[in-house]
Amino acid sequence: MTAAIDRVSSATLPLDGRVALITGGSRGIGAAVARAMAEAGAAVALAARSRDSLEQLADELNNDGHRALAIPADVSNVADAERMIAATVEGFGRLDIACNNAAGGGQRPTRFAELPVEAYDSAIAGTLRSVFVSMKVEIPAMLASGGGSIINMASTAGLEGIGGLAGYVSAKHGIVGLTRSAALDYADMGIRVNALAPGPILTDAMQNAGPQMQAHAAQAIPMRRVGLPHEVAAAVVWLASDQSSFITGATIPVDGGKLAGMAPFRGVADLRHE
């Protein structure tokens, strides 16, 4: 009977009893990940620079019967990152899972030679350095807990080029490389490190861009729609759980088929059935 109960608990609450940290956890994909991990049974520590929205989400989760902790922090800053880990361990006793979703230093599309060096440096610091610093402090805490799972948020831009976004593309490619290196360093020590590569997702930024931009983005996707934050969050929960126990060093697209190649022209696809 006990074994049967354990199997049911694992299926319905795959993260039961674990402690998860989500950086960039105040809105968008990060907030969706926090909700999904809490629903999967994890206690969640939320880190982001925006205190108000972070505390609002933590209050929402706690009021729903989950365990959540808000930790305002800029994770590209080593001292903030160290404080974030200390607060997580102090609040929940351990660290088992980390989703490194924080990013920053965005740029408007700019031709390569016209991109200011400062803008490039900002993209690297806000997006790539933040993942490096986060992993640097997360890994010792996970080793102390007996292992864990790290999920880094890359992008389809980490696996292909995009004109006009040299800083963003460099940073996201760098996350893929960091993921592989860390996975190899700790594969035999109980820590798995993977990345996700979302395509266009209906985050706040895309919602604010309006229906025309959303429709334009959808046309680049074989599924002919943009993704939803909860679809990325579901993949994060799976990578955090024992259901993906033999996967490390991978970067998994969540992109509606975008990286698979060019979808057939609609007319050609229709002719096949005539």
Side-chain angles (χ1 to χ4, degrees):
M1 178 65 72
T2 300
I5 292 173
D6 287 346
R7 285 196 295 272
V8 170
S9 176
S10 177
T12 57
L13 294 174
L15 305 183
D16 189 33
R18 302 185 193 181
V19 174
L21 168 67
I22 302 101
T23 71
S26 62
R27 55 191 174 88
I29 291 174
V33 169
R35 292 186 178 99
M37 284 193 172
E39 291 290 342
V44 293
L46 312 173
R49 288 174 292 185
S50 50
R51 177 184 293 270
D52 290 345
S53 54
L54 198 67
E55 292 179 345
Q56 181 178 348
L57 177 57
D59 288 343
E60 171 196 321
L61 294 173
N62 285 319
N63 290 336
D64 286 342
H66 304 299
R67 298 172 64 205
L69 176 66
I71 310 170
D74 176 358
V75 293
S76 66
N77 179 281
V78 175
D80 270 21
E82 290 174 341
R83 180 174 53 78
M84 170 185 73
I85 294 296
T88 300
V89 174
E90 180 181 355
F92 295 129
R94 58 189 294 121
L95 178 65
D96 304 291
I97 301 160
C99 176
N100 295 314
N101 177 67
Q107 63 173 89
R108 296 178 62 85
T110 306
R111 289 187 188 275
F112 192 99
E114 299 165 8
L115 179 65
V117 172
E118 295 78 12
Y120 182 84
D121 288 345
S122 177
I124 297 299
T127 298
L128 179 57
R129 175 185 166 88
S130 66
V131 172
F132 169 75
V133 170
S134 295
M135 282 200 293
K136 186 173 176 61
V137 296
E138 291 159 357
I139 288 170
M142 287 186 179
L143 290 173
S145 299
S149 176
I150 296 174
I151 303 96
N152 295 323
M153 202 60 65
S155 166
T156 52
L159 297 170
E160 66 176 356
I162 300 177
L165 295 178
Y168 181 77
V169 169
S170 294
K172 292 299 187 180
H173 271 71
I175 289 173
V176 172
L178 284 179
T179 297
R180 291 172 177 164
S181 291
L184 293 171
D185 283 345
Y186 295 96
D188 62 349
M189 301 176 72
I191 296 178
R192 297 185 297 112
V193 189
N194 293 290
L196 290 178
I201 304 295
L202 192 61
T203 58
D204 294 346
M206 185 169 288
Q207 287 179 331
N208 293 337
Q212 185 174 355
M213 180 59 71
Q214 294 163 25
H216 179 73
Q219 288 304 305
I221 306 299
M223 286 187 175
R224 292 296 189 264
R225 68 174 179 86
V226 297
L228 300 174
H230 78 262
E231 293 176 305
V232 181
V236 173
V237 169
W238 179 72
L239 283 173
S241 76
D242 293 339
Q243 295 171 353
S244 61
S245 58
F246 200 53
I247 299 176
T248 195
T251 299
I252 300 175
V254 186
D255 67 348
K258 181 175 185 288
L259 290 177
M262 182 179 292
F265 293 110
R266 289 177 183 267
V268 173
D270 294 342
L271 286 173
R272 292 175 182 168
H273 302 289
E274 292 182 358

